[in-house]
Amino acid sequence: MAKTIWDRFAPIYSFAMKSQKNIYDYMYSHIGDAIEGKNVLELATGPGLIAKHIADKADFVTATDFSPEMIAQAKKGENPTNLKFEIADASDLQYEDKSFDVVIIANALHVVPNPEKVLDEIDRVLKKDGLFICPTFIHRSAEKKENLWAKLLKMLGVNFAHQWTAKEFSSFIENNGWKITASEVVPGRIDLMYAECVRK
C-alpha cells in the first residue's frame, strides 16, 4: 500500500508543530482538565503529542491513528502505562458501542473528506453522557480562506478538505447533532477553535 502524506510526514510532525506551541499548550491544559479520571479515546493522534501530555490526568487513554508511521512514532520512548496506541480508521472504528467517557479528535476534522461519518462513529462509541472534544484549525474570514502557512502546508500535500471559519465550524458541529458547551478561538499561524461538546 502506498504511503499517505501522513506516513511521510510522521517523522517531522512533532517538529513542525513546535511553531504552534501556544496552541498545543492550550490544548494540553484544557483537555487535561476535561478528561480527569475518564476513559478516553483519541482519534488522529499523530505522533501522540496530546495523548502523552494528558494521560496522567485520565483513567486510561486509547490513542489511535490510521497512519502506521504515525503510530510507530507515537510508540517511541517511554509512555505512561495507562496509554495505548493503536491503528484505527476514525470513520470505521473497531470499538464497541458506548465504550468511552470522552472522545477527542484534534486538528483532523478539517482534513477528512467525510467528517459526518467520523461524527457518526464518535456518537456510536461515546457513552450516553459523554464528552466530545474537537479542537480544529479554522480560517479567520470567509473571504480569505488560506494564509501563507496554510498555503505552505498545501504545497507539502496537506489539503484542508473543509476551510471553516469559527462560525461555520460551530454550525457544522451543531447541525450534526452536538451542542457546544465550551469554545474559544486560539490565535496561531493557523487559528484553532477549541470546542467541547455533548449530544443535543
Side-chain angles (χ1 to χ4, degrees):
M1 187 168 99
K3 282 193 173 187
T4 67
I5 178 60
W6 301 110
D7 288 321
R8 295 193 297 270
F9 200 35
I12 63 167
Y13 186 92
S14 296
F15 176 78
M17 290 302 104
K18 285 183 178 179
S19 66
Q20 297 278 59
K21 183 179 183 301
N22 70 306
I23 280 177
Y24 275 82
D25 286 345
Y26 180 97
M27 288 193 291
Y28 300 152
S29 173
H30 284 71
I31 293 173
D33 289 344
I35 56 89
E36 193 159 359
K38 305 291 187 181
N39 183 21
V40 178
L41 172 66
E42 187 191 9
L43 307 175
T45 191
L49 296 176
I50 292 173
K52 293 177 183 184
H53 276 84
I54 66 167
D56 65 329
K57 297 286 187 71
D59 179 40
F60 197 88
V61 177
T62 303
T64 69
D65 202 285
F66 84 113
S67 162
E69 294 295 332
M70 284 291 193
I71 292 300
Q73 290 292 323
K75 287 181 175 180
K76 288 183 177 180
E78 285 195 30
N79 289 314
T81 56
N82 67 332
L83 170 59
K84 174 174 63 174
F85 289 107
E86 296 182 338
I87 297 170
D89 181 346
S91 65
D92 187 20
L93 296 170
Q94 63 261 39
Y95 307 109
E96 294 183 2
D97 295 358
K98 316 305 179 201
S99 299
F100 298 95
D101 302 308
V102 181
V103 177
I104 303 163
I105 183 166
N107 304 339
L109 286 174
H110 63 289
V111 299
V112 177
N114 188 359
E116 294 86 356
K117 192 170 182 182
V118 174
L119 293 184
D120 286 344
E121 279 293 270
I122 291 168
D123 181 56
R124 182 182 67 78
V125 302
L126 190 63
K127 291 181 181 178
K128 182 179 178 182
D129 298 319
L131 180 66
F132 171 38
I133 304 176
C134 52
T136 300
F137 287 134
I138 58 166
H139 296 274
R140 293 181 182 179
S141 71
E143 292 74 28
K144 190 175 181 180
K145 289 289 188 179
E146 289 185 346
N147 64 14
L148 289 175
W149 186 243
K151 289 177 181 177
L152 174 61
L153 289 174
K154 190 173 183 179
M155 288 173 59
L156 293 173
V158 179
N159 292 309
F160 284 25
H162 308 280
Q163 298 186 14
W164 292 303
T165 62
K167 183 177 180 181
E168 289 166 346
F169 181 62
S170 296
S171 295
F172 167 75
I173 291 296
E174 295 192 342
N175 289 341
N176 279 277
W178 301 90
K179 178 183 177 182
I180 297 174
T181 56
S183 68
E184 185 171 350
V185 173
V186 187
R189 287 192 173 182
I190 301 176
D191 292 351
L192 178 97
M193 180 172 171
Y194 178 87
E196 296 179 4
C197 316
V198 295
R199 289 185 190 84
K200 285 186 177 178

